[in-house]
Amino acid sequence: VLVSEIGEFELIRLLAREIGVEYPPHPGAPGQRGMLVGLGDDAVVTPQRTGALIWTTDTMVADVHFFAGRTAWPDVGWKSLASNVSDVAAMGGEPYLALITLCLPADFCVEDAQALYRGLFEASQAFGVTLGGGDIVRSPVFSITVALSGWAYSERLGTPRALTRGAARKGDIVAVSGVVGDSAGGLQLLKDNGPYVDAASQQLRSAHERPQPRVELGRAAIAMGVRCAIDVSDGLLQDLGHVARASGVRIRIDASRIPISNALRETFPSRAMGLALSGGEDYELILVGRRAAIEALIDASATPLTEIGEVMADDETYVAVVDEMGREIPLATRGWDHFAKP
Amino acid sequence: VLVSEIGEFELIRLLAREIGVEYPPHPGAPGQRGMLVGLGDDAVVTPQRTGALIWTTDTMVADVHFFAGRTAWPDVGWKSLASNVSDVAAMGGEPYLALITLCLPADFCVEDAQALYRGLFEASQAFGVTLGGGDIVRSPVFSITVALSGWAYSERLGTPRALTRGAARKGDIVAVSGVVGDSAGGLQLLKDNGPYVDAASQQLRSAHERPQPRVELGRAAIAMGVRCAIDVSDGLLQDLGHVARASGVRIRIDASRIPISNALRETFPSRAMGLALSGGEDYELILVGRRAAIEALIDASATPLTEIGEVMADDETYVAVVDEMGREIPLATRGWDHFAKP
């Protein structure tokens, strides 16, 4: 069934059903859980609360950010929310409410839209996000835009705090969660369009299509006194570059300490380090802070966290990657630019 | 200059400059005014505040929602924010913070993107909205998505209140602000691609391209005890239909009382009533409330507000339009469905 055959309102009704909301709302029906005014009005309204709000948005365009027809629609839904959750995690915040905008071609299948919403709903359950409606419009090209709000970290009666890119200081330790490069490996497998039967391939593909943002780690980091973070979305080096520029510091990364999975090393033996340095969309957290804070976090956190480098100086903006002898490794590619020529 | 020639980061820098924000942020620079963490981090963070949040989002796709090449880019920027502001106005709220997502073809002109941002910035100044960053991605088709948050109306120490579609009650009066149909008239002129030299044409085109959402009126309405509202975005009749369905009521509208501008009557003598009933995007407010509240609002408000009908019964869901003799006028078209066949 095509979306043009059922019309906008029936489509919204079916998608709302995927997330457990009755649409259109009718008199006497219970409203959307946890909302003052739920889905189906001009806008949603939340209950009253005190706090500092985090706001972010992220878009996936068919055949630009994913391969339509290769990535399953529930995975597109999952990732579109997860990438936003990761931005909130990188601020040390708590994800809260998301708005979803779908741009759909008139010949888009209703079943695919429903599958997309199933993945969105799964992610919303996994990360504690309320789906507060959005907009559905016709477009020649499929895209999904998620706008996500969250609450900034705050201790009882304390002022809100956030992890920022500009808070790295000379002498700080640089750590990264999990492993990096798996997502880029999974992307490469998708490009090759192979069968992905082995466990290593499945791990890489899952890293690319079902990323697990580090919400708990971000909150634990801020509680431990860490002040600087960024998530790995553009690629480890490029994201470290954002930190170096915003903080005005020189960062040194030890290549040998970068956490790379066995799956990535097995699948791409000669390219694993390159994918780890420049691949994007791992949605791991880079945390930068005083040694005591980072080490306490490594001890306390259930999330694997690896020390990979140090902030060396605050008189220039630079990221150097060094080998085991301390010699700088020359780097060709530094990450992802949406408009750069190939 | 094409966006692919300057790259993503330089583009963001130029667009941030249009809204008076330095990007990328560098050490020692003042942050974005009014924000705890401004544009240029993983997400923006607002200062702490207590309240109930309103959330809405709206998208404009090139050649679906506007004619690229006919509507000037500043007007696209203005309207993309204004349509969201209107949704907040329809809840009786105060617009607050917007995130902007641009989907841009690689051959999109940097100058056009800057012009778009000039219009966005103008609208943000006019409606008191902070532009809190967003996302820029490559796409075969231009689109702009605005996600807007606002604060729900609340009296000092009171609980938040919002105007909803479901609060119409039998005996309520139905009123509409300003005039309706001008925007649809302006759209028709754009389709005809004429010269628009006369004042009437310019008024219609301005209604379509520079809509003025009714923020003050929404707030005044809620203060006066009105509880039900919707903005005219899909068309007067269709939007009244949303109210009728959400409230479970029968609404009667007197055709002769619908406020139609002289400009619309002069430009489209035979079609003015049809455009007023079914044309969308006027971004006027339909307000439904007790007679005393509506009349007090008409007296107190600087915004023109016209009584056009009444809520007749609460035993069915229906909108009837009657002539001066009280006879129901049969209606063919009831409004806008994004996926309906022409």
Side-chain angles (χ1 to χ4, degrees), chain B residues 314-325:
Chain B
D314 54 11
D315 52 4
E316 64 172 329
T317 287
Y318 193 69
V319 179
V321 181
V322 300
D323 64 16
E324 281 158 311
M325 309 293 290

Side-chain angles (χ1 to χ4, degrees), chain B residues 61-77:
Chain B
V61 180
D63 297 325
V64 175
H65 300 91
F66 69 97
F67 296 106
R70 295 191 201 172
T71 293
W73 288 108
D75 293 343
V76 175

Side-chain angles (χ1 to χ4, degrees), chain B residues 98-335:
Chain B
L99 298 183
I100 313 299
T101 298
L102 297 184
C103 292
L104 300 182
D107 63 354
F108 197 80
C109 284
V110 174
E111 292 76 8
D112 290 342
Q114 290 174 297
L116 176 86
Y117 255 70
R118 276 200 297 283
L120 264 175
F121 187 57
E122 270 183 77
S124 74
Q125 302 277 88
F127 304 119
V129 170
T130 300
L131 298 176
D135 195 17
I136 302 183
V137 300
R138 186 160 51 85
S139 166
V141 178
F142 172 92
S143 70
I144 176 167
T145 299
V146 175
L148 178 68
S149 75
W151 296 100
Y153 181 94
S154 178
E155 270 149 29
R156 238 176 92 77
L157 305 177
T159 51
R161 280 185 279 161
L163 300 167
T164 64
R165 300 176 176 189
R169 298 290 170 263
K170 186 178 166 181
D172 278 355
I173 297 301
V174 179
V176 68
S177 64
V179 294
V180 288
D182 274 15
S183 176
L187 173 62
Q188 188 57 54
L189 291 177
L190 277 165
K191 283 183 182 161
D192 299 343
N193 206 13
Y196 330 109
V197 285
D198 59 308
S201 298
Q202 281 170 12
Q203 175 184 324
L204 302 186
R205 194 168 166 186
S206 168
H208 186 68
E209 297 183 327
R210 288 264 168 172
Q212 305 287 335
R214 302 296 195 180
V215 176
E216 291 311 316
L217 180 64
R219 295 175 67 73
I222 215 166
M224 292 280 185
V226 175
R227 291 290 168 269
C228 175
I230 190 169
D231 70 328
V232 182
S233 51
D234 294 338
L236 182 67
L237 269 187
Q238 186 162 323
D239 289 316
L240 284 166
H242 295 319
V243 170
R245 187 166 43 222
S247 299
V249 295
R250 177 186 175 86
I251 295 172
R252 195 190 65 195
I253 298 297
D254 296 315
S256 63
R257 306 180 81 164
I258 294 173
I260 298 176
S261 73
N262 289 333
L264 190 66
R265 290 189 198 278
E266 286 165 20
T267 313
F268 298 98
S270 66
R271 295 174 57 196
M273 177 58 71
L275 293 168
L277 286 170
S278 300
E281 302 193 319
D282 284 306
Y283 301 115
E284 297 294 348
L285 287 188
I286 297 168
L287 296 164
V288 185
R290 308 316 295 174
R291 175 171 294 281
I294 296 289
E295 286 182 351
L297 190 61
I298 290 175
D299 287 345
S301 172
T303 310
L305 189 63
T306 309
E307 185 186 326
I308 59 169
E310 196 175 341
V311 179
M312 303 303 291
D314 54 11
D315 52 4
E316 64 172 329
T317 287
Y318 193 69
V319 179
V321 181
V322 300
D323 64 16
E324 281 158 311
M325 309 293 290
R327 290 173 304 213
E328 188 170 345
I329 301 171
L331 299 159
T333 313
R334 287 193 163 250

